[in-house]
Amino acid sequence: MNEDKTVSAIVPLFNEGKTVGRVVKALIGSGSLSEIIFINDGSTDDSLEVLRGFGNQIKIINFKKNHGKGRAVAEGIRRARGKFLFLCDADLLHFRPDHVKAILAPVLSGRAKASFGVPTVDNHGKVIRYLKNQVYLAGERVYPREVLLPHLDKLGRTKGAGGSEVILNTIFKAKDICVVKLKGLAKPSKEQKW
């Protein structure tokens, strides 16, 4: 495997002012990332102000209006410079630097072509079982950048929850993906967010 193990984090967000600051801190604290790119997808809350508070520790792409997660992710991938990409949601609860290291490890070591991270607890800290079909909706993923580049146009046209993940699920076979249980990580359900 090529020794270039630079990693860019790509984090799309829309109205995640309550959680995004903690996500930024975990990404910075991991020490594993060569760049951290947030794509503010037309947020109407204080998300952009929270991001700006981190100064030059992160890069911000700011869309004036909402275009959808797929387009935000595609733009982040276009601008990223890392050989590997860590796609990450901005609504994570209890996200820690060790989660970043855990999801990167299978790909950076060459054990897997991609990795998907899944939460292990609900919002109240109760252990949950992540069902097999839910793995394919995971927002936390690691890929080599070069394999995503041919998919940017299709990715950029997706709308709605899970649309970008459906496109990304077609890139590798299940045997090439490592599913990483991120101990203590929780995500709010879509119903809670709505």
Side-chain angles (χ1 to χ4, degrees), residues 63-138:
F63 292 168
K64 299 287 185 203
K65 65 178 199 166
N66 184 269
H67 296 283
K69 183 177 181 180
R71 184 162 171 198
V73 169
E75 188 60 29
I77 293 168
R78 273 189 197 93
R79 298 211 202 166
R81 294 295 160 245
K83 180 179 173 75
F84 299 95
L85 302 178
F86 171 36
L87 308 182
C88 181
D89 289 339
D91 62 352
L92 303 175
L93 304 173
H94 320 299
F95 186 49
R96 304 184 312 257
D98 62 296
H99 292 139
V100 178
K101 293 176 189 242
I103 194 169
L104 293 176
V107 176
L108 295 183
S109 69
R111 289 190 336 244
K113 293 181 180 175
S115 60
F116 294 6
V118 296
T120 61
V121 297
D122 67 14
N123 298 348
H124 307 290
K126 181 180 173 192
V127 174
I128 58 169
R129 185 168 165 250
Y130 215 69
L131 302 175
K132 188 174 182 178
N133 64 328
Q134 291 175 308
V135 168
Y136 294 100
L137 294 176

Side-chain angles (χ1 to χ4, degrees), residues 14-63:
F14 175 71
N15 290 344
E16 300 295 353
K18 292 180 180 175
T19 55
V20 71
R22 290 187 298 274
V23 170
V24 176
K25 289 176 185 174
L27 293 171
I28 292 169
S30 76
S32 302
L33 304 166
S34 51
E35 70 179 343
I36 304 169
I37 302 171
F38 282 83
I39 306 91
N40 179 46
D41 192 18
S43 293
T44 57
D45 69 352
D46 65 343
S47 296
L48 186 58
E49 290 75 28
V50 172
L51 292 174
R52 286 181 173 151
F54 288 93
N56 64 5
Q57 295 180 92
I58 63 172
K59 296 178 181 178
I60 302 169
I61 299 169
N62 186 40
F63 292 168

